[in-house]
Amino acid sequence: MAKQFKKVKLELLVKEYFSQNVYPIVSNKAAEFMIIRDGNLEFYQAKKKSRGYTEVIDSINIIKKYPLSELSHVTIDYFVLSTKYVFSNNLQISVYAPAEKKDKFQLQNELVDIGITAKVLERKWYNKILGFRSKKIWKMAIASIFYFIFIYVNIVGFLAFLENEKHIRQEQAIEQENREKQREERAREKEERKKEQQELEENKGKAIIDFKNNGIEKLIEEYNVVQSIEVKENSIETIFFDVYVDEESWSELTNSKKLSLAASLETYIEKEVDPYSISMDVYSHTNEDKLAQRTFFRNRWEIIR
């Protein structure tokens, strides 16, 4: 399995580089970080680069530093996305809010620990939101319109998502219901076919028994040339008959009379076992060889001898 490329946050790389807490600065320039080291506030610009399957520090350069001895006091203003620090020497910086809530006061505590007096400005919760921090009416009006549109678009999008999900679930339910109906319909059709086949089998069995008990004797009485008839085999809808005729009587018939006799015997048996189809062959009662058969390819009788 191919090794995947691993991205690393620049803040973590800088923290690992200095082996101490670092604070990302809100800046329009390259990524800036602040650390407290050797009695100074030091500010650095850092870049990273790819190496193999990960990322490492490419360059890190100090851009300015301020002695802590000049910073006796700091005013701290907490906002939603960042925190503003105004020091007694008029130095102003904004630090991005940490990802972990527990680290929110980390820089404040560190400044207090080194002897800098800290004052935290109290604001109402909505004055910590971008656009409401300055308390200027025109900014708050613009921010209100923006947030209204943002919330409205998200609500509409969310409702559309819910409606689409509902529609999808309804379609899935209908599709599932249709599949269930199709399965039930196939099962019902299969059961009906099974019952029909059972009825055909039962009725066919009765037809064969009736023909053996009554039909064979009547046929022999009507056609003296016939000696015996037996049901050779049968399928669900077709009954197979072997008709055995007197060899001498058969041999005295012309081919046309033989064809007529075979056709007459077939018609007689079909009426007796109606509605089932039949398949019939004519055999010699003496030699037991086949004398006539129906060729289904041409759908007519063929005299063998």
Side-chain angles (χ1 to χ4, degrees):
M1 183 176 180
K3 191 174 180 180
Q4 294 184 342
F5 182 79
K6 181 181 179 182
K7 286 190 173 183
V8 185
K9 290 180 67 174
L10 182 57
E11 180 182 350
L12 295 178
L13 294 174
V14 175
K15 186 175 182 179
E16 182 181 356
Y17 180 87
F18 287 109
S19 300
Q20 68 173 84
N21 293 328
V22 298
Y23 303 97
I25 302 299
V26 179
S27 172
N28 295 326
K29 302 177 182 179
E32 291 187 18
F33 298 89
M34 183 190 77
I35 65 172
I36 300 175
R37 187 174 68 166
D38 298 333
N40 297 299
L41 288 184
E42 297 181 352
F43 294 83
Y44 291 84
Q45 284 185 344
K47 294 181 180 179
K48 62 180 179 178
K49 64 179 179 180
S50 300
R51 177 181 292 173
Y53 292 95
T54 188
E55 293 178 319
V56 297
I57 289 290
D58 180 34
S59 64
I60 184 163
N61 301 303
I62 189 167
I63 53 176
K64 53 190 172 183
K65 65 180 179 179
Y66 299 90
L68 293 175
S69 58
E70 299 177 0
L71 311 175
S72 60
H73 177 79
V74 63
T75 301
I76 303 174
D77 202 354
Y78 285 99
F79 300 109
V80 175
L81 301 178
S82 65
T83 302
K84 184 177 181 181
Y85 296 84
V86 180
F87 292 91
S88 53
N89 67 342
N90 294 325
L91 171 65
Q92 297 184 21
I93 61 171
S94 291
V95 178
Y96 284 109
E100 298 292 335
K101 191 174 181 179
K102 63 181 180 65
D103 297 330
K104 178 178 179 180
F105 303 106
Q106 187 179 69
L107 178 55
Q108 176 184 335
N109 294 335
E110 194 168 349
L111 291 172
V112 171
D113 289 343
I114 59 178
I116 297 177
T117 304
K119 177 184 177 182
V120 179
L121 297 180
E122 295 295 332
R123 288 178 178 267
K124 294 181 179 180
W125 65 269
Y126 54 83
N127 288 130
K128 296 182 179 181
I129 301 174
L130 186 65
F132 291 80
R133 297 181 299 187
S134 64
K135 299 181 183 181
K136 293 181 179 179
I137 295 176
W138 69 272
K139 285 188 176 182
M140 290 191 291
I142 294 174
S144 297
I145 294 172
F146 172 80
Y147 291 132
F148 173 78
I149 294 173
F150 177 79
I151 293 172
Y152 175 79
V153 169
N154 278 274
I155 290 176
V156 170
F158 181 69
L159 292 177
F161 169 77
L162 291 179
E163 185 64 26
N164 185 55
E165 285 292 307
K166 180 181 177 182
H167 181 68
I168 291 173
R169 285 195 296 269
Q170 288 176 342
E171 287 185 341
Q172 289 174 342
I174 292 172
E175 186 178 348
Q176 180 65 24
E177 184 179 355
N178 290 336
R179 284 199 296 266
E180 290 293 333
K181 287 181 179 179
Q182 290 174 357
R183 280 196 291 267
E184 291 175 0
E185 184 68 22
R186 287 195 295 268
R188 184 167 59 252
E189 290 176 354
K190 184 178 180 180
E191 187 64 25
E192 289 176 355
R193 286 196 300 269
K194 185 178 179 181
K195 289 181 179 179
E196 289 176 358
Q197 291 176 355
Q198 289 176 346
E199 290 177 359
L200 285 172
E201 285 285 346
E202 292 174 359
N203 294 334
K204 183 186 64 181
K206 293 177 181 178
I208 293 173
I209 292 173
D210 291 341
F211 182 73
K212 285 182 176 180
N213 292 338
N214 303 307
I216 292 178
E217 186 176 347
K218 290 179 181 180
L219 188 146
I220 291 175
E221 289 178 359
E222 186 169 341
Y223 296 92
N224 295 329
V225 68
V226 178
Q227 298 295 307
S228 64
I229 299 174
E230 66 178 47
V231 180
K232 185 178 180 183
E233 58 181 282
N234 59 80
S235 65
I236 294 176
E237 297 180 355
T238 304
I239 305 175
F240 295 83
F241 294 91
D242 289 345
V243 178
Y244 292 86
V245 297
D246 179 68
E247 174 74 28
E248 185 177 349
S249 300
W250 178 267
S251 62
E252 292 176 354
L253 299 174
T254 62
N255 278 353
S256 61
K257 288 184 177 182
K258 290 177 181 178
L259 290 172
S260 177
L261 175 61
S264 298
L265 292 172
E266 182 181 44
T267 301
Y268 184 95
I269 295 174
E270 282 179 340
K271 289 180 180 180
E272 288 291 321
V273 298
D274 184 65
Y276 300 96
S277 59
I278 72 165
S279 177
M280 188 192 87
D281 292 322
V282 179
Y283 289 84
S284 168
H285 185 264
T286 304
N287 299 327
E288 297 185 350
D289 60 326
K290 188 180 291 187
L291 302 176
Q293 64 182 6
R294 175 174 285 283
T295 56
F296 292 98
F297 177 69
R298 294 182 179 179
N299 195 25
R300 65 182 180 85
W301 278 94
E302 176 187 8
I303 303 304
I304 298 175
R305 69 175 180 85

